[in-house]
Amino acid sequence: MTVIFSKKCEYGLQAVLYLAARNETDSINSEEISSKLNIPKEFISKILQSLTESGLISSKKGKNGGFSLAKDPSKIRLIDIVSAIDGMDMFNNCVLGFPHCSPDHPCPLHEKWGALRSNAYNMLTDETLDKLKEKTLRKIEFIDNK
Amino acid sequence: MTVIFSKKCEYGLQAVLYLAARNETDSINSEEISSKLNIPKEFISKILQSLTESGLISSKKGKNGGFSLAKDPSKIRLIDIVSAIDGMDMFNNCVLGFPHCSPDHPCPLHEKWGALRSNAYNMLTDETLDKLKEKTLRKIEFIDNK
DNA sequence: TTATAATCAGATTTTATTATCTGATTAAAG
DNA sequence: CTTTAATCAGATAATAAAATCTGATTATAA
């Protein structure tokens, strides 16, 4: 199977986009995120905990607790979330798995893949939560009415 | 961890590129491929078996046996190998893991990711083994002298 | 101050991927 | 014909990723 982001990362991206789209002043608990996005509750809890450690979101314990964005949505880029969960290996490692792949000793796909990869990197760096809010709202609403 | 191709697929691509670069009339056995490319012998054997079933390479049993390309290198595209090993899920599934992602009900990244993904698809469709032969040879030679 | 509802922490389970093992089958060469 | 060197087939083992479980801690509200 060919994967781009791990399940953890997909779920993390979904959840943070959800937080941004909901635009609540109060925090949102993992039960809501789990049920709205169809992600196992215990699993998304773990992921949100790790994103809290990374400083992208913040958590509030106890009754009425939950999660909220730690910064302004315009300051959270998708690459920050990907980097926190999956790391940056995808942008550094050889796509063919060859050892010592570098401009000096390139793999057969080095240049072509490198170009595609930096486009992907740029996209993830350019896209911030605020820019995606409307689209996320529409998608959530659609999922909700299924 | 963010993955593009599975290890199986990376190894499969390497091995088939190797077969094309060696340009032998005789077949090449899995021992050679394993040692030159640093891939566990039993593992690459399995992968080569499955590529044989897919019709991309052919195998010869018994003494002096091994593997060779089943068609002209110009007729084998990278996408054929990827598709045989990892399948095409990467090109069909939502990058964020949202359900029912489609032009009608797009995820927040649908258009932007779609564009990047079709560039990747086009690249893998355009690149055939013959086009990559020289670059593969250089890379193999470098690995060999390490 | 007690009940409740949430995160947090750590262990465990399940499933998929990666890797290895054993032996059967096949074909060439002596 | 026998030895040798290879693929092939199926089972097993090891590792990693995904998901779940248990209980502790924390904070709000009644």
Side-chain angles (χ1 to χ4, degrees):
Chain A
M1 177 163 313
T2 308
V3 167
I4 299 298
F5 302 131
S6 66
K7 274 264 163 266
K8 261 187 200 160
C9 192
E10 286 182 6
Y11 290 161
L13 286 162
Q14 287 187 22
V16 176
L17 284 165
Y18 184 85
L19 288 179
R22 278 291 314 277
N23 202 28
E24 275 287 334
T25 45
D26 296 348
S27 46
I28 295 175
N29 65 42
S30 59
E31 167 59 31
E32 174 179 337
I33 297 174
S34 163
S35 67
K36 294 285 184 179
L37 298 176
N38 269 288
I39 304 172
K41 182 166 175 289
E42 319 292 338
F43 199 25
I44 194 59
S45 297
K46 285 274 181 237
I47 296 166
L48 292 170
Q49 277 175 48
S50 86
L51 289 174
T52 303
E53 276 185 54
S54 305
L56 293 169
I57 64 180
S58 47
S59 66
K60 196 177 147 205
K61 285 179 157 188
K63 201 162 185 176
N64 297 334
F67 299 89
S68 56
L69 299 182
K71 342 180 189 178
D72 191 90
S74 67
K75 294 281 188 300
I76 303 182
R77 307 169 300 173
L78 297 189
I79 195 73
D80 299 324
I81 303 161
V82 170
S83 162
I85 299 177
D86 273 349
M88 293 297 282
D89 281 1
M90 169 192 180
F91 298 100
N92 298 316
N93 292 349
C94 175
V95 67
L96 295 177
F98 277 111
H100 314 291
C101 187
S102 72
D104 278 0
H105 304 291
C107 78
L109 286 184
H110 197 78
E111 288 81 10
K112 299 225 165 150
W113 179 254
L116 295 175
R117 187 166 59 180
S118 49
N119 287 341
Y121 178 86
N122 290 338
M123 190 269 274
L124 295 173
T125 302
D126 184 56
E127 294 292 342
T128 50
L129 297 184
D130 60 323
K131 290 187 186 174
L132 298 168
K133 184 177 168 184
E134 288 307 317
K135 288 180 182 176
T136 305
L137 276 173
R138 274 198 290 277
K139 184 67 186 182
I140 289 169
E141 194 185 0
F142 169 71
I143 293 174
D144 232 20
N145 296 332
K146 282 238 98 204
Chain B
M1 177 162 313
T2 309
V3 169
I4 298 296
F5 301 130
S6 68
K7 274 262 162 270
K8 260 188 202 162
C9 194
E10 284 182 6
Y11 290 160
L13 285 162
Q14 287 187 21
V16 177
L17 283 165
Y18 184 86
L19 289 179
R22 279 291 314 278
N23 202 26
E24 274 286 334
T25 46
D26 296 347
S27 46
I28 295 176
N29 65 40
S30 59
E31 167 58 32
E32 173 179 339
I33 297 174
S34 162
S35 66
K36 294 284 185 180
L37 298 176
N38 268 288
I39 303 171
K41 180 166 177 289
E42 318 294 336
F43 198 26
I44 195 58
S45 297
K46 285 272 181 240
I47 297 166
L48 292 169
Q49 275 175 50
S50 86
L51 289 173
T52 302
E53 275 184 56
S54 306
L56 293 170
I57 64 180
S58 48
S59 67
K60 197 178 147 203
K61 285 179 158 191
K63 200 160 185 177
N64 298 333
F67 299 90
S68 55
L69 299 181
K71 342 179 188 177
D72 191 89
S74 67
K75 294 282 187 299
I76 302 182
R77 308 169 300 172
L78 296 189
I79 195 73
D80 299 324
I81 303 161
V82 170
S83 163
I85 300 177
D86 273 349
M88 294 297 283
D89 281 2
M90 168 192 181
F91 299 99
N92 298 316
N93 291 350
C94 175
V95 67
L96 295 176
F98 277 111
H100 314 290
C101 186
S102 74
D104 278 359
H105 304 292
C107 78
L109 286 184
H110 197 78
E111 288 81 11
K112 299 222 166 153
W113 179 253
L116 296 175
R117 187 166 60 179
S118 48
N119 288 340
Y121 178 86
N122 291 337
M123 189 269 274
L124 294 173
T125 302
D126 185 56
E127 293 293 342
T128 49
L129 297 184
D130 60 324
K131 291 188 185 172
L132 298 169
K133 185 177 167 186
E134 288 307 319
K135 289 179 180 176
T136 306
L137 275 173
R138 275 197 290 278
K139 184 70 187 178
I140 290 169
E141 194 186 1
F142 168 72
I143 294 174
D144 232 18
N145 297 332
K146 282 239 96 204

